Amino acid sequence: SQTIHQWPATLVQPVGSPLSLECTVEGTSNPNLYWYRQAAGRGLQLLFYSVGIGQISSEVPQNLSASRPQDRQFILSSKKLLLSDSGFYLCAWADGTLLYEQYFGPGTRLTVT
Amino acid sequence: AQKVTQAQTEISVVEKEDVTLDCVYETRDTTYYLFWYKQPPSGELVFLIRRNSFDEQNEISGRYSWNFQKSTSSFNFTITASQVVDSAVYFCALSDTDSGGYQKVTFGIGTKLQVIP
């Protein structure tokens, strides 16, 4: 069966510091991968999605970036965090062929101070 | 453009009451998928159901049931005999493909359900 991991679970970072959130998927090949952000009490905002290694599409221009160095690894980064980057970050995967539902990881709660 | 509307932002019910969560969607595609997800306080989104645009048959899974009506572009979710464990935020979502052939999923803003014991 497939599983998706995210780490860290919780992170407190000062403004201006770098960020690296990691997501890995097990039990599937060539998945579509997604990064979402959820602000407190709000809906989901799609940040990036990837249909293959090195292929990244950005939905929202901002100081965040994403990379997919391996088939089942998706990384969200920032060189300098802003206060507005605080939120709950969710990684998700979907079958790259069927394009059905997305399955979500446990999320990372980021607080920028 | 895709759009998913969940008009109910928060609902409170007393345990054992039935509750229906509304979802209305917009899409120009003839082939699309609809989903419901549950987000408990822990934060992780849990997939509940998928429906494709060609299957309007209602579905029941235990205390959960879903009513899909293309004529009104609605995909409503009913919880029968609600329990405290049903307290969560519920998201409706729509998936179709964009002009580049990529899957695009649009989520509603969610309905927060509180079941009071």
Side-chain angles (χ1 to χ4, degrees):
Chain A
S1 64
Q2 302 86 4
T3 55
I4 179 169
H5 304 280
Q6 276 187 254
W7 63 90
T10 306
L11 193 58
V12 180
Q13 292 283 91
V15 169
S17 63
L19 173 74
S20 181
L21 302 181
E22 190 163 342
C23 170
T24 59
V25 182
E26 296 177 355
T28 187
S29 296
N30 203 28
N32 285 357
L33 296 172
Y34 307 84
W35 278 112
Y36 289 88
R37 178 169 60 199
Q38 186 178 29
R42 303 285 297 275
L44 295 167
Q45 178 187 36
L46 178 63
L47 302 175
F48 301 95
Y49 69 92
S50 172
V51 299
I53 296 174
Q55 300 180 59
I56 309 293
S57 295
S58 173
E59 288 291 304
V60 182
Q62 54 206 335
N63 69 319
L64 298 173
S65 62
S67 62
R68 183 170 178 174
Q70 299 181 44
D71 182 45
R72 288 167 287 184
Q73 184 184 28
F74 205 22
I75 297 172
L76 183 69
S77 304
S78 174
K79 292 182 179 178
K80 289 186 178 181
L81 283 169
L82 306 173
L83 285 175
S84 57
D85 291 324
S86 293
F88 190 52
Y89 288 81
L90 289 155
C91 181
W93 74 273
D95 185 292
T97 303
L98 298 175
L99 300 181
Y100 288 159
E101 59 274 8
Q102 296 177 0
Y103 293 94
F104 287 80
T108 294
R109 201 164 297 279
L110 171 66
T111 303
V112 182
T113 60
Chain B
Q2 289 178 313
K3 187 177 179 181
V4 176
T5 302
Q6 294 181 256
Q8 307 147 305
T9 54
E10 290 194 37
I11 301 176
S12 289
V13 298
V14 177
E15 199 171 21
K16 296 184 183 178
E17 286 184 345
D18 299 348
V19 58
T20 295
L21 310 181
D22 298 332
C23 174
V24 175
Y25 63 92
E26 294 178 26
T27 178
R28 293 180 180 177
D29 285 12
T30 56
T31 301
Y32 53 88
Y33 296 92
L34 295 163
F35 312 93
W36 275 96
Y37 288 85
K38 175 182 180 179
Q39 186 178 38
S42 62
E44 181 175 347
L45 267 79
V46 177
F47 164 71
L48 296 178
I49 189 172
R50 175 186 76 233
R51 244 336 175 225
N52 74 54
S53 51
F54 299 107
D55 183 2
E56 288 193 69
Q57 190 171 12
N58 292 332
E59 177 140 350
I60 298 174
S61 176
R63 296 183 297 106
Y64 294 172
S65 62
W66 291 269
N67 183 285
F68 174 32
Q69 293 194 348
K70 286 181 74 171
S71 60
T72 56
S73 297
S74 64
F75 186 42
N76 296 336
F77 174 26
T78 297
I79 302 175
T80 303
S82 60
Q83 300 176 1
V84 173
V85 294
D86 296 326
S87 297
V89 179
Y90 291 87
F91 290 94
C92 180
L94 165 69
S95 170
D96 58 18
T97 52
D98 64 16
S99 56
Y102 296 122
Q103 179 197 37
K104 186 173 177 64
V105 180
T106 301
F107 284 83
I109 63 170
T111 296
K112 184 176 182 179
L113 173 65
Q114 183 180 18
V115 180
I116 304 166

